[in-house]
Amino acid sequence: MNRIVPLILAVALFMEQMDSTVISTALPAIAAALGVGPITLKLALTSYMVALAIFIPASGWMADRFGAKVIFRVAILVFMAGSVLCALSGSLVAFVAARFLQGMGGAMMTPVGRLVLLRTTERRELVSAMALLTIPGLIGPLSGPPIGGFITTYFSWHWIFLINVPIGLAGIWLATIHLPEVPPVETPPIDWRGFALSALAASGVVFGLSVMSLPALPPAAGIGATALGLAAGLLYVRHARRHPTPLLDLGLFRNATFRIAVTAGTIFRIAAGATPFLMPLMLQLGFGLTPFQSGLITFVGAIGAITTKFLARRVFAAVGFRTVLIAAAITGAATTAANAFFTPGTPYALIMGLLLAAGFCRSFFFTGINALSYAEIGDAEASQATSMSSVLQQVSLALGVAVAAAILEGSTALKGHALGLADFHLAFAVVAGLSLLAVLPFLRMPRDAGANVSGHGGRPEPDSIAVK
């Protein structure tokens, strides 16, 4: 495998994933500079996620029409432009708009990066390649808060965004030199009605859930937006069944392996979305730590994620996707449940050890689920599959934060007291139970599913063809 390809894609995706959370610890400083409150400024977090939700569905069509390598470099350029405008913003409106532009770039970066990998990687190398590409999605959200806190404390919040410029330029240069050409393919005209409905559905759900969990607006606005998004989603399903070439082809779910993989992944990502929200808050409000201290503790999970890269291919080849994914889901749920027993008296070494194990389990799960999703997807469906998977990922991550926040708010309302450690314990227990449900789809999956990718059972593998 040409390792430079997934590494280039991984660096670009890390930049995008980290930037989605890096401003969380810098919100007070940015808010003071713009003359608004920190809660109000959280609209910038929401605008970024909404942009992702709107433009991800169209990313696959654009990659097919204009070439995946071209769109990937354009995505980095758009992301860089949004970063510069964030640093130059002098008002709330300008900052929110700049974050939206960043989200447009990020929306193209993630699914198109996966598409490049799918079309340039041999089946037998897909697990190793996906292990590299999974790392940014796990490390980015964990590294964002401590990096943002460090830059804001010792430099200026502007550098949170300006640092993306040299990284982005390097990414464009390396992509130009090392990424193989992925030529355009013949595509029908874009499904504009499908784009409008899918954009309204995904952005309505993501915006609504985000507003309910980060109440910069009245909760009624979040409930209304979520309801509107769900209604648009139903209309899209009706539209997609009638349109000959829908923007997001629901026919992909007829593929049992793809359906099981995205269903289990969506369920498990609720915990993945909730944990980065709950853990720093618990360490700060329940343990009395500073944002930077809590960020240093939670970052240990990134080490567990990195170690997976060195083991994934051999483990999946030895026992297969089904067994590994069931084990990873169970142990991932167990390590999430362990957070419900942390107290200020718990040794930090024990906390960090469990977070390390949690990062390891989640990385194994997402490496496997990402490779399994595309194991039986043909080349003609690859762009649709990457777009569909990315949309569901964004919705499930937003749902994780919303579920966690709803549990905290409901617990405090029922008990009639301020947010306390017991409320976080309850939230972790519930989220762990939800993530355990990810095991259920795998129980009906054949033991040899995806063996042409994992190599489990000695299944013959093609030596020279890219993923089809």
Side-chain angles (χ1 to χ4, degrees):
M1 177 179 67
N2 183 4
R3 297 186 182 276
I4 191 66
V5 173
L7 282 174
I8 292 172
L9 300 175
V11 170
L13 299 188
F14 171 77
M15 180 174 66
E16 184 267 322
Q17 291 283 345
M18 184 187 71
D19 222 75
S20 64
T21 57
V22 72
I23 72 169
S24 59
T25 51
L27 280 178
I30 301 174
L34 300 180
V36 298
I39 297 297
T40 303
L41 192 61
K42 287 182 179 179
L43 285 171
L45 297 173
T46 302
S47 69
Y48 185 91
M49 291 188 289
V50 167
L52 291 176
I54 290 174
F55 292 102
I56 281 176
S59 61
W61 180 89
M62 294 175 65
D64 284 343
R65 173 60 66 93
F66 303 107
K69 180 176 177 179
V70 171
I71 295 301
F72 186 73
R73 288 180 294 180
V74 170
I76 297 176
L77 189 62
V78 172
F79 190 85
M80 286 168 49
S83 299
V84 172
L85 291 176
C86 282
L88 298 177
S89 297
S91 68
L92 175 64
V93 173
F95 189 73
V96 170
R99 287 288 288 176
F100 188 86
L101 183 62
Q102 266 193 317
M104 290 175 61
M108 294 185 288
M109 213 182 294
T110 301
V112 174
R114 286 182 180 170
L115 183 59
V116 171
L117 198 66
L118 282 173
R119 289 184 172 168
T120 59
T121 303
E122 297 176 1
R123 284 187 186 270
R124 58 193 176 92
E125 302 287 355
L126 189 58
V127 170
S128 296
M130 282 296 178
L132 285 172
L133 208 60
T134 298
I135 291 173
L138 294 166
I139 295 180
L142 294 174
S143 62
I147 290 176
F150 179 81
I151 292 176
T152 303
T153 302
Y154 297 105
F155 296 95
S156 165
W157 66 265
H158 302 82
W159 286 102
I160 290 175
F161 304 104
L162 294 176
I163 197 173
N164 290 329
V165 175
I167 297 175
L169 290 173
I172 292 174
W173 177 65
L174 290 171
T176 301
I177 295 175
H178 295 288
L179 288 189
E181 292 294 337
V182 183
V185 298
E186 186 176 346
T187 56
I190 190 170
D191 172 20
W192 287 109
R193 179 175 293 183
F195 173 73
L197 288 173
S198 65
L200 188 60
S203 63
V205 171
V206 170
F207 176 79
L209 294 176
S210 300
V211 168
M212 284 190 284
S213 60
L214 302 173
L217 295 175
I223 296 173
T226 303
L228 179 63
L230 293 174
L234 293 175
L235 291 175
Y236 179 82
V237 171
R238 180 183 178 187
H239 164 78
R241 288 176 175 174
R242 299 178 177 182
H243 198 281
T245 55
L247 187 67
L248 293 173
D249 187 4
L250 301 180
L252 287 169
F253 290 98
R254 288 194 290 267
N255 183 309
T257 301
F258 179 83
R259 181 177 66 251
I260 289 171
V262 297
T263 300
T266 298
I267 295 171
F268 196 81
R269 279 188 181 88
I270 293 177
T275 300
F277 170 77
L278 289 171
M279 183 57 70
L281 281 179
M282 185 175 77
L283 293 176
Q284 293 172 43
L285 300 180
F287 289 29
L289 302 181
T290 67
F292 187 52
Q293 289 172 326
S294 68
L296 290 176
I297 290 176
T298 57
F299 183 71
V300 73
I303 301 174
I306 292 172
T307 58
T308 306
K309 179 257 177 270
F310 303 101
L311 301 172
R313 182 179 177 183
R314 293 179 180 178
V315 172
F316 283 108
V319 296
F321 281 115
R322 183 178 182 270
T323 301
V324 176
L325 289 172
I326 289 176
I330 293 174
T331 52
T335 53
T336 300
N339 298 335
F341 298 95
F342 292 162
T343 68
T346 305
Y348 290 148
L350 177 59
I351 294 175
M352 295 173 74
L354 286 170
L355 293 179
L356 181 73
F360 183 78
C361 296
R362 288 176 189 149
S363 183
F364 252 111
F365 185 88
F366 290 127
T367 294
I369 213 73
N370 287 336
L372 182 64
S373 296
Y374 309 115
E376 298 177 7
I377 294 296
D379 190 58
E381 301 172 313
S383 60
Q384 287 271 357
T386 55
S387 297
M388 182 75 75
S389 297
S390 296
V391 169
L392 292 174
Q393 286 177 24
Q394 289 302 318
V395 171
S396 59
L397 290 173
L399 181 60
V401 177
V403 167
I407 295 170
L408 294 180
E409 292 171 5
S411 178
T412 55
L414 287 174
K415 295 179 180 179
H417 59 65
L419 191 62
L421 191 57
D423 303 309
F424 288 102
H425 289 168
L426 175 63
F428 275 118
V430 173
V431 168
L434 289 174
S435 65
L436 189 60
L437 297 177
V439 173
L440 297 180
F442 297 124
L443 298 179
R444 301 181 63 182
M445 189 173 77
R447 291 184 179 276
D448 63 348
N452 58 326
V453 170
S454 67
H456 175 55
R459 177 77 65 87
E461 301 169 323
D463 293 324
S464 59
I465 63 170
V467 176
K468 297 296 183 185

mmCIF file with all atom_site columns, all heavy atoms in Angstrom, residues 245-263:
data_model
loop_
_atom_site.group_PDB
_atom_site.id
_atom_site.type_symbol
_atom_site.label_atom_id
_atom_site.label_alt_id
_atom_site.label_comp_id
_atom_site.label_asym_id
_atom_site.label_entity_id
_atom_site.label_seq_id
_atom_site.pdbx_PDB_ins_code
_atom_site.Cartn_x
_atom_site.Cartn_y
_atom_site.Cartn_z
_atom_site.occupancy
_atom_site.B_iso_or_equiv
_atom_site.pdbx_formal_charge
_atom_site.auth_seq_id
_atom_site.auth_comp_id
_atom_site.auth_asym_id
_atom_site.auth_atom_id
_atom_site.pdbx_PDB_model_num
ATOM 1   N N   . THR A 1 245 ? -32.272 9.026  -10.371 1.00 0.00 ? 245 THR A N   1
ATOM 2   C CA  . THR A 1 245 ? -30.901 9.196  -9.868  1.00 0.00 ? 245 THR A CA  1
ATOM 3   C C   . THR A 1 245 ? -30.902 10.160 -8.686  1.00 0.00 ? 245 THR A C   1
ATOM 4   O O   . THR A 1 245 ? -30.469 11.305 -8.802  1.00 0.00 ? 245 THR A O   1
ATOM 5   C CB  . THR A 1 245 ? -29.970 9.722  -10.973 1.00 0.00 ? 245 THR A CB  1
ATOM 6   O OG1 . THR A 1 245 ? -30.523 10.938 -11.520 1.00 0.00 ? 245 THR A OG1 1
ATOM 7   C CG2 . THR A 1 245 ? -29.795 8.701  -12.082 1.00 0.00 ? 245 THR A CG2 1
ATOM 8   N N   . PRO A 1 246 ? -31.390 9.717  -7.518  1.00 0.00 ? 246 PRO A N   1
ATOM 9   C CA  . PRO A 1 246 ? -31.452 10.616 -6.361  1.00 0.00 ? 246 PRO A CA  1
ATOM 10  C C   . PRO A 1 246 ? -30.061 10.982 -5.858  1.00 0.00 ? 246 PRO A C   1
ATOM 11  O O   . PRO A 1 246 ? -29.096 10.237 -6.054  1.00 0.00 ? 246 PRO A O   1
ATOM 12  C CB  . PRO A 1 246 ? -32.221 9.803  -5.321  1.00 0.00 ? 246 PRO A CB  1
ATOM 13  C CG  . PRO A 1 246 ? -31.950 8.383  -5.692  1.00 0.00 ? 246 PRO A CG  1
ATOM 14  C CD  . PRO A 1 246 ? -31.863 8.375  -7.192  1.00 0.00 ? 246 PRO A CD  1
ATOM 15  N N   . LEU A 1 247 ? -29.978 12.123 -5.197  1.00 0.00 ? 247 LEU A N   1
ATOM 16  C CA  . LEU A 1 247 ? -28.695 12.584 -4.676  1.00 0.00 ? 247 LEU A CA  1
ATOM 17  C C   . LEU A 1 247 ? -28.118 11.588 -3.682  1.00 0.00 ? 247 LEU A C   1
ATOM 18  O O   . LEU A 1 247 ? -26.925 11.265 -3.719  1.00 0.00 ? 247 LEU A O   1
ATOM 19  C CB  . LEU A 1 247 ? -28.867 13.955 -4.010  1.00 0.00 ? 247 LEU A CB  1
ATOM 20  C CG  . LEU A 1 247 ? -27.595 14.656 -3.551  1.00 0.00 ? 247 LEU A CG  1
ATOM 21  C CD1 . LEU A 1 247 ? -26.745 15.057 -4.744  1.00 0.00 ? 247 LEU A CD1 1
ATOM 22  C CD2 . LEU A 1 247 ? -27.919 15.870 -2.696  1.00 0.00 ? 247 LEU A CD2 1
ATOM 23  N N   . LEU A 1 248 ? -28.939 11.100 -2.781  1.00 0.00 ? 248 LEU A N   1
ATOM 24  C CA  . LEU A 1 248 ? -28.563 10.041 -1.845  1.00 0.00 ? 248 LEU A CA  1
ATOM 25  C C   . LEU A 1 248 ? -29.452 8.839  -2.148  1.00 0.00 ? 248 LEU A C   1
ATOM 26  O O   . LEU A 1 248 ? -30.660 8.877  -1.927  1.00 0.00 ? 248 LEU A O   1
ATOM 27  C CB  . LEU A 1 248 ? -28.751 10.495 -0.394  1.00 0.00 ? 248 LEU A CB  1
ATOM 28  C CG  . LEU A 1 248 ? -27.825 11.602 0.113   1.00 0.00 ? 248 LEU A CG  1
ATOM 29  C CD1 . LEU A 1 248 ? -28.244 12.054 1.507   1.00 0.00 ? 248 LEU A CD1 1
ATOM 30  C CD2 . LEU A 1 248 ? -26.379 11.134 0.118   1.00 0.00 ? 248 LEU A CD2 1
ATOM 31  N N   . ASP A 1 249 ? -28.843 7.788  -2.648  1.00 0.00 ? 249 ASP A N   1
ATOM 32  C CA  . ASP A 1 249 ? -29.592 6.626  -3.107  1.00 0.00 ? 249 ASP A CA  1
ATOM 33  C C   . ASP A 1 249 ? -29.908 5.697  -1.937  1.00 0.00 ? 249 ASP A C   1
ATOM 34  O O   . ASP A 1 249 ? -29.016 5.048  -1.382  1.00 0.00 ? 249 ASP A O   1
ATOM 35  C CB  . ASP A 1 249 ? -28.786 5.884  -4.172  1.00 0.00 ? 249 ASP A CB  1
ATOM 36  C CG  . ASP A 1 249 ? -29.586 4.760  -4.807  1.00 0.00 ? 249 ASP A CG  1
ATOM 37  O OD1 . ASP A 1 249 ? -30.781 4.609  -4.468  1.00 0.00 ? 249 ASP A OD1 1
ATOM 38  O OD2 . ASP A 1 249 ? -29.020 4.039  -5.641  1.00 0.00 ? 249 ASP A OD2 1
ATOM 39  N N   . LEU A 1 250 ? -31.172 5.642  -1.563  1.00 0.00 ? 250 LEU A N   1
ATOM 40  C CA  . LEU A 1 250 ? -31.579 4.778  -0.451  1.00 0.00 ? 250 LEU A CA  1
ATOM 41  C C   . LEU A 1 250 ? -31.490 3.308  -0.816  1.00 0.00 ? 250 LEU A C   1
ATOM 42  O O   . LEU A 1 250 ? -31.551 2.442  0.066   1.00 0.00 ? 250 LEU A O   1
ATOM 43  C CB  . LEU A 1 250 ? -33.012 5.126  -0.029  1.00 0.00 ? 250 LEU A CB  1
ATOM 44  C CG  . LEU A 1 250 ? -33.245 6.578  0.417   1.00 0.00 ? 250 LEU A CG  1
ATOM 45  C CD1 . LEU A 1 250 ? -34.702 6.782  0.811   1.00 0.00 ? 250 LEU A CD1 1
ATOM 46  C CD2 . LEU A 1 250 ? -32.324 6.953  1.555   1.00 0.00 ? 250 LEU A CD2 1
ATOM 47  N N   . GLY A 1 251 ? -31.313 3.009  -2.110  1.00 0.00 ? 251 GLY A N   1
ATOM 48  C CA  . GLY A 1 251 ? -31.136 1.626  -2.524  1.00 0.00 ? 251 GLY A CA  1
ATOM 49  C C   . GLY A 1 251 ? -29.880 0.988  -1.960  1.00 0.00 ? 251 GLY A C   1
ATOM 50  O O   . GLY A 1 251 ? -29.753 -0.245 -1.956  1.00 0.00 ? 251 GLY A O   1
ATOM 51  N N   . LEU A 1 252 ? -28.944 1.810  -1.466  1.00 0.00 ? 252 LEU A N   1
ATOM 52  C CA  . LEU A 1 252 ? -27.738 1.263  -0.834  1.00 0.00 ? 252 LEU A CA  1
ATOM 53  C C   . LEU A 1 252 ? -28.076 0.370  0.350   1.00 0.00 ? 252 LEU A C   1
ATOM 54  O O   . LEU A 1 252 ? -27.342 -0.574 0.661   1.00 0.00 ? 252 LEU A O   1
ATOM 55  C CB  . LEU A 1 252 ? -26.834 2.408  -0.360  1.00 0.00 ? 252 LEU A CB  1
ATOM 56  C CG  . LEU A 1 252 ? -26.079 3.208  -1.426  1.00 0.00 ? 252 LEU A CG  1
ATOM 57  C CD1 . LEU A 1 252 ? -25.469 4.445  -0.805  1.00 0.00 ? 252 LEU A CD1 1
ATOM 58  C CD2 . LEU A 1 252 ? -24.991 2.341  -2.050  1.00 0.00 ? 252 LEU A CD2 1
ATOM 59  N N   . PHE A 1 253 ? -29.191 0.651  0.994   1.00 0.00 ? 253 PHE A N   1
ATOM 60  C CA  . PHE A 1 253 ? -29.548 -0.116 2.185   1.00 0.00 ? 253 PHE A CA  1
ATOM 61  C C   . PHE A 1 253 ? -30.058 -1.508 1.849   1.00 0.00 ? 253 PHE A C   1
ATOM 62  O O   . PHE A 1 253 ? -30.288 -2.313 2.748   1.00 0.00 ? 253 PHE A O   1
ATOM 63  C CB  . PHE A 1 253 ? -30.586 0.650  3.011   1.00 0.00 ? 253 PHE A CB  1
ATOM 64  C CG  . PHE A 1 253 ? -30.023 1.868  3.681   1.00 0.00 ? 253 PHE A CG  1
ATOM 65  C CD1 . PHE A 1 253 ? -30.186 3.121  3.116   1.00 0.00 ? 253 PHE A CD1 1
ATOM 66  C CD2 . PHE A 1 253 ? -29.307 1.758  4.850   1.00 0.00 ? 253 PHE A CD2 1
ATOM 67  C CE1 . PHE A 1 253 ? -29.654 4.249  3.718   1.00 0.00 ? 253 PHE A CE1 1
ATOM 68  C CE2 . PHE A 1 253 ? -28.771 2.878  5.471   1.00 0.00 ? 253 PHE A CE2 1
ATOM 69  C CZ  . PHE A 1 253 ? -28.936 4.131  4.896   1.00 0.00 ? 253 PHE A CZ  1
ATOM 70  N N   . ARG A 1 254 ? -30.236 -1.800 0.562   1.00 0.00 ? 254 ARG A N   1
ATOM 71  C CA  . ARG A 1 254 ? -30.547 -3.176 0.181   1.00 0.00 ? 254 ARG A CA  1
ATOM 72  C C   . ARG A 1 254 ? -29.332 -4.079 0.334   1.00 0.00 ? 254 ARG A C   1
ATOM 73  O O   . ARG A 1 254 ? -29.464 -5.297 0.403   1.00 0.00 ? 254 ARG A O   1
ATOM 74  C CB  . ARG A 1 254 ? -31.073 -3.211 -1.255  1.00 0.00 ? 254 ARG A CB  1
ATOM 75  C CG  . ARG A 1 254 ? -32.478 -2.643 -1.413  1.00 0.00 ? 254 ARG A CG  1
ATOM 76  C CD  . ARG A 1 254 ? -33.074 -2.997 -2.750  1.00 0.00 ? 254 ARG A CD  1
ATOM 77  N NE  . ARG A 1 254 ? -32.417 -2.300 -3.847  1.00 0.00 ? 254 ARG A NE  1
ATOM 78  C CZ  . ARG A 1 254 ? -32.827 -1.136 -4.352  1.00 0.00 ? 254 ARG A CZ  1
ATOM 79  N NH1 . ARG A 1 254 ? -33.903 -0.537 -3.842  1.00 0.00 ? 254 ARG A NH1 1
ATOM 80  N NH2 . ARG A 1 254 ? -32.184 -0.562 -5.343  1.00 0.00 ? 254 ARG A NH2 1
ATOM 81  N N   . ASN A 1 255 ? -28.149 -3.468 0.372   1.00 0.00 ? 255 ASN A N   1
ATOM 82  C CA  . ASN A 1 255 ? -26.918 -4.221 0.628   1.00 0.00 ? 255 ASN A CA  1
ATOM 83  C C   . ASN A 1 255 ? -26.845 -4.494 2.134   1.00 0.00 ? 255 ASN A C   1
ATOM 84  O O   . ASN A 1 255 ? -26.677 -3.573 2.940   1.00 0.00 ? 255 ASN A O   1
ATOM 85  C CB  . ASN A 1 255 ? -25.708 -3.409 0.169   1.00 0.00 ? 255 ASN A CB  1
ATOM 86  C CG  . ASN A 1 255 ? -24.400 -4.158 0.325   1.00 0.00 ? 255 ASN A CG  1
ATOM 87  O OD1 . ASN A 1 255 ? -24.104 -4.685 1.394   1.00 0.00 ? 255 ASN A OD1 1
ATOM 88  N ND2 . ASN A 1 255 ? -23.600 -4.192 -0.725  1.00 0.00 ? 255 ASN A ND2 1
ATOM 89  N N   . ALA A 1 256 ? -26.984 -5.769 2.506   1.00 0.00 ? 256 ALA A N   1
ATOM 90  C CA  . ALA A 1 256 ? -27.100 -6.119 3.930   1.00 0.00 ? 256 ALA A CA  1
ATOM 91  C C   . ALA A 1 256 ? -25.870 -5.703 4.728   1.00 0.00 ? 256 ALA A C   1
ATOM 92  O O   . ALA A 1 256 ? -25.992 -5.208 5.859   1.00 0.00 ? 256 ALA A O   1
ATOM 93  C CB  . ALA A 1 256 ? -27.338 -7.621 4.078   1.00 0.00 ? 256 ALA A CB  1
ATOM 94  N N   . THR A 1 257 ? -24.676 -5.883 4.160   1.00 0.00 ? 257 THR A N   1
ATOM 95  C CA  . THR A 1 257 ? -23.458 -5.540 4.891   1.00 0.00 ? 257 THR A CA  1
ATOM 96  C C   . THR A 1 257 ? -23.378 -4.036 5.124   1.00 0.00 ? 257 THR A C   1
ATOM 97  O O   . THR A 1 257 ? -23.052 -3.585 6.241   1.00 0.00 ? 257 THR A O   1
ATOM 98  C CB  . THR A 1 257 ? -22.217 -6.022 4.109   1.00 0.00 ? 257 THR A CB  1
ATOM 99  O OG1 . THR A 1 257 ? -22.309 -7.434 3.939   1.00 0.00 ? 257 THR A OG1 1
ATOM 100 C CG2 . THR A 1 257 ? -20.944 -5.692 4.867   1.00 0.00 ? 257 THR A CG2 1
ATOM 101 N N   . PHE A 1 258 ? -23.669 -3.253 4.097   1.00 0.00 ? 258 PHE A N   1
ATOM 102 C CA  . PHE A 1 258 ? -23.667 -1.794 4.256   1.00 0.00 ? 258 PHE A CA  1
ATOM 103 C C   . PHE A 1 258 ? -24.715 -1.371 5.282   1.00 0.00 ? 258 PHE A C   1
ATOM 104 O O   . PHE A 1 258 ? -24.445 -0.529 6.150   1.00 0.00 ? 258 PHE A O   1
ATOM 105 C CB  . PHE A 1 258 ? -23.945 -1.130 2.904   1.00 0.00 ? 258 PHE A CB  1
ATOM 106 C CG  . PHE A 1 258 ? -23.998 0.373  2.958   1.00 0.00 ? 258 PHE A CG  1
ATOM 107 C CD1 . PHE A 1 258 ? -22.835 1.127  2.914   1.00 0.00 ? 258 PHE A CD1 1
ATOM 108 C CD2 . PHE A 1 258 ? -25.212 1.038  3.059   1.00 0.00 ? 258 PHE A CD2 1
ATOM 109 C CE1 . PHE A 1 258 ? -22.873 2.514  2.973   1.00 0.00 ? 258 PHE A CE1 1
ATOM 110 C CE2 . PHE A 1 258 ? -25.269 2.433  3.111   1.00 0.00 ? 258 PHE A CE2 1
ATOM 111 C CZ  . PHE A 1 258 ? -24.084 3.165  3.066   1.00 0.00 ? 258 PHE A CZ  1
ATOM 112 N N   . ARG A 1 259 ? -25.905 -1.958 5.207   1.00 0.00 ? 259 ARG A N   1
ATOM 113 C CA  . ARG A 1 259 ? -26.990 -1.578 6.119   1.00 0.00 ? 259 ARG A CA  1
ATOM 114 C C   . ARG A 1 259 ? -26.615 -1.869 7.571   1.00 0.00 ? 259 ARG A C   1
ATOM 115 O O   . ARG A 1 259 ? -26.808 -1.031 8.461   1.00 0.00 ? 259 ARG A O   1
ATOM 116 C CB  . ARG A 1 259 ? -28.261 -2.335 5.737   1.00 0.00 ? 259 ARG A CB  1
ATOM 117 C CG  . ARG A 1 259 ? -29.464 -1.988 6.611   1.00 0.00 ? 259 ARG A CG  1
ATOM 118 C CD  . ARG A 1 259 ? -30.730 -2.704 6.140   1.00 0.00 ? 259 ARG A CD  1
ATOM 119 N NE  . ARG A 1 259 ? -30.645 -4.152 6.297   1.00 0.00 ? 259 ARG A NE  1
ATOM 120 C CZ  . ARG A 1 259 ? -30.532 -5.003 5.287   1.00 0.00 ? 259 ARG A CZ  1
ATOM 121 N NH1 . ARG A 1 259 ? -30.489 -4.564 4.041   1.00 0.00 ? 259 ARG A NH1 1
ATOM 122 N NH2 . ARG A 1 259 ? -30.468 -6.309 5.522   1.00 0.00 ? 259 ARG A NH2 1
ATOM 123 N N   . ILE A 1 260 ? -26.058 -3.036 7.817   1.00 0.00 ? 260 ILE A N   1
ATOM 124 C CA  . ILE A 1 260 ? -25.672 -3.409 9.186   1.00 0.00 ? 260 ILE A CA  1
ATOM 125 C C   . ILE A 1 260 ? -24.561 -2.498 9.694   1.00 0.00 ? 260 ILE A C   1
ATOM 126 O O   . ILE A 1 260 ? -24.589 -2.031 10.836  1.00 0.00 ? 260 ILE A O   1
ATOM 127 C CB  . ILE A 1 260 ? -25.227 -4.883 9.222   1.00 0.00 ? 260 ILE A CB  1
ATOM 128 C CG1 . ILE A 1 260 ? -26.436 -5.804 9.020   1.00 0.00 ? 260 ILE A CG1 1
ATOM 129 C CG2 . ILE A 1 260 ? -24.524 -5.217 10.528  1.00 0.00 ? 260 ILE A CG2 1
ATOM 130 C CD1 . ILE A 1 260 ? -26.078 -7.258 8.835   1.00 0.00 ? 260 ILE A CD1 1
ATOM 131 N N   . ALA A 1 261 ? -23.574 -2.225 8.828   1.00 0.00 ? 261 ALA A N   1
ATOM 132 C CA  . ALA A 1 261 ? -22.434 -1.416 9.247   1.00 0.00 ? 261 ALA A CA  1
ATOM 133 C C   . ALA A 1 261 ? -22.851 0.005  9.610   1.00 0.00 ? 261 ALA A C   1
ATOM 134 O O   . ALA A 1 261 ? -22.457 0.524  10.662  1.00 0.00 ? 261 ALA A O   1
ATOM 135 C CB  . ALA A 1 261 ? -21.375 -1.392 8.141   1.00 0.00 ? 261 ALA A CB  1
ATOM 136 N N   . VAL A 1 262 ? -23.659 0.646  8.771   1.00 0.00 ? 262 VAL A N   1
ATOM 137 C CA  . VAL A 1 262 ? -24.026 2.036  9.057   1.00 0.00 ? 262 VAL A CA  1
ATOM 138 C C   . VAL A 1 262 ? -25.015 2.114  10.212  1.00 0.00 ? 262 VAL A C   1
ATOM 139 O O   . VAL A 1 262 ? -25.001 3.083  10.991  1.00 0.00 ? 262 VAL A O   1
ATOM 140 C CB  . VAL A 1 262 ? -24.581 2.744  7.806   1.00 0.00 ? 262 VAL A CB  1
ATOM 141 C CG1 . VAL A 1 262 ? -23.531 2.831  6.712   1.00 0.00 ? 262 VAL A CG1 1
ATOM 142 C CG2 . VAL A 1 262 ? -25.846 2.090  7.294   1.00 0.00 ? 262 VAL A CG2 1
ATOM 143 N N   . THR A 1 263 ? -25.877 1.087  10.362  1.00 0.00 ? 263 THR A N   1
ATOM 144 C CA  . THR A 1 263 ? -26.817 1.093  11.484  1.00 0.00 ? 263 THR A CA  1
ATOM 145 C C   . THR A 1 263 ? -26.068 0.972  12.810  1.00 0.00 ? 263 THR A C   1
ATOM 146 O O   . THR A 1 263 ? -26.300 1.748  13.752  1.00 0.00 ? 263 THR A O   1
ATOM 147 C CB  . THR A 1 263 ? -27.829 -0.057 11.357  1.00 0.00 ? 263 THR A CB  1
ATOM 148 O OG1 . THR A 1 263 ? -28.557 0.085  10.135  1.00 0.00 ? 263 THR A OG1 1
ATOM 149 C CG2 . THR A 1 263 ? -28.804 -0.049 12.526  1.00 0.00 ? 263 THR A CG2 1
#
